[in-house]
Amino acid sequence: MSELPNSTMTVPIIQSMKNQRKLVMLTAYDHTMAKLLDQHADILLVGDTLGCVVQGDQTTLGVTLEQMCYHAAMVKRGAQNALVVADLPFGSYQSSASDAIQAAIRLIKETGVSAVKLEGGGGSLAAIEQISRAGIPVMGHLGLTPQSYHSMGGNKVQGKTQSAAQKLLEEAKAVEAAGAFSLVLEAIPADLAKIITQALSIPTIGIGAGSDCDGQVLVINDMIGLNQNQAPMRFNKEYCAVRKMITKAAQQYASEVRDGSFPCPQYSYL
Ligand code: KIV
């Protein structure tokens, strides 16, 4: 049974699920997909991966706050049950904590989402602290942080050396202490994710971080096999191949239009 009971998720409910049952998170970028996923996910993330999977860029760096607001409002309209969280895009929170609060307030006011997500440890702690203090729940994000694409030298697995692992553990504790209500761990060794998960009292949500996190997230376009541009990371599991279904349908439609068999009388007003 994969459907969830018909109840609205809140931040306290999500937090109370740590050590009770696994959290299910998926990304969504529009109303149609949000409606399809709403009964099956605890959290819908309007991720800035929209820059890659919707806009066709190589990185998330070009996504604007305006665009996040546009997509987050559509997702929120399609979600009756899941908690909707929206990413603060690159450039909207790095320069100062007051910029960060302004950006978070705008996302909440204009879209109705319940929480924001932002990336990073040390440099993001003031933003996490002040946004949380303003009453806006913050989801942290450590490990592979795609907004640091250039300093990481690409989308690479993080925390592989002992010192990098230790740093990530310290950062995770600091993110929790700053007030985050949950934490995404992306592309880090499974045993490190387990240690971090056990060290925190907030839920961790893994993507490429093994099975011991408190929940899992996948990018919906990768999960349904829709992308054709970039090879998905090793951690993605394609649960179906929508790309192939669309290609087949488009081929059949084109051939029927060209040979005149569509529309037949069944699809015409007679
Ligand atoms: O932007 C996004 O979709 C994300 C997930 C990959 C966690 O941050």
Side-chain angles (χ1 to χ4, degrees), residues 45-59:
L45 171 67
V46 191
D48 62 357
T49 39
L50 91 89
C52 307
V53 300
V54 177
Q55 298 173 339
D57 280 339
Q58 203 193 348
T59 72

Side-chain angles (χ1 to χ4, degrees), residues 37-243:
L37 304 179
D38 186 43
Q39 290 292 322
H40 307 284
D42 301 305
I43 306 172
L44 289 178
L45 171 67
V46 191
D48 62 357
T49 39
L50 91 89
C52 307
V53 300
V54 177
Q55 298 173 339
D57 280 339
Q58 203 193 348
T59 72
T60 60
L61 300 175
V63 176
T64 65
L65 187 56
E66 191 83 32
Q67 292 163 353
M68 288 306 305
C69 287
Y70 177 71
H71 286 270
M74 289 190 274
V75 170
K76 179 62 191 169
R77 278 197 291 277
Q80 305 300 314
N81 302 295
L83 186 86
V84 183
V85 180
D87 263 335
L88 284 174
F90 178 66
S92 68
Y93 63 94
Q94 285 89 351
S95 47
S96 72
S98 78
D99 274 5
I101 297 187
Q102 290 311 315
I105 288 174
R106 182 168 169 203
L107 259 180
I108 298 287
K109 267 188 186 292
E110 291 185 17
T111 71
V113 302
S114 304
V116 300
K117 176 166 82 59
L118 58 83
E119 297 180 6
S124 299
L125 295 178
I128 295 172
E129 199 172 320
Q130 297 208 30
I131 296 171
S132 310
R133 231 191 271 149
I136 299 172
V138 179
M139 179 179 278
H141 184 156
L142 291 174
L144 194 173
T145 45
Q147 292 180 13
S148 305
Y149 182 86
H150 295 298
S151 51
M152 291 182 309
N155 288 332
K156 298 196 171 133
V157 179
Q158 303 294 305
K160 288 206 288 190
T161 64
Q162 177 127 35
S163 62
Q166 186 59 35
K167 185 168 177 234
L168 270 175
L169 174 60
E170 296 311 320
E171 284 185 328
K173 289 179 183 168
V175 165
E176 172 171 357
F181 78 95
S182 60
L183 175 63
V184 168
L185 295 174
E186 179 165 357
I188 63 171
D191 55 354
L192 173 59
K194 182 177 182 179
I195 291 169
I196 293 175
T197 298
Q198 288 173 346
L200 301 188
S201 56
I202 57 172
T204 61
I205 300 168
I207 174 163
S211 60
D212 288 307
C213 293
D214 298 304
Q216 296 291 326
V217 56
L218 283 177
V219 170
I220 187 62
N221 294 40
D222 296 337
M223 194 273 257
I224 62 172
L226 188 53
N227 285 333
Q228 41 194 346
N229 298 340
Q230 288 169 313
M233 305 267 297
R234 171 195 160 93
F235 55 68
N236 186 59
K237 177 173 176 185
E238 274 194 11
Y239 282 81
C240 58
V242 169
R243 180 182 62 246

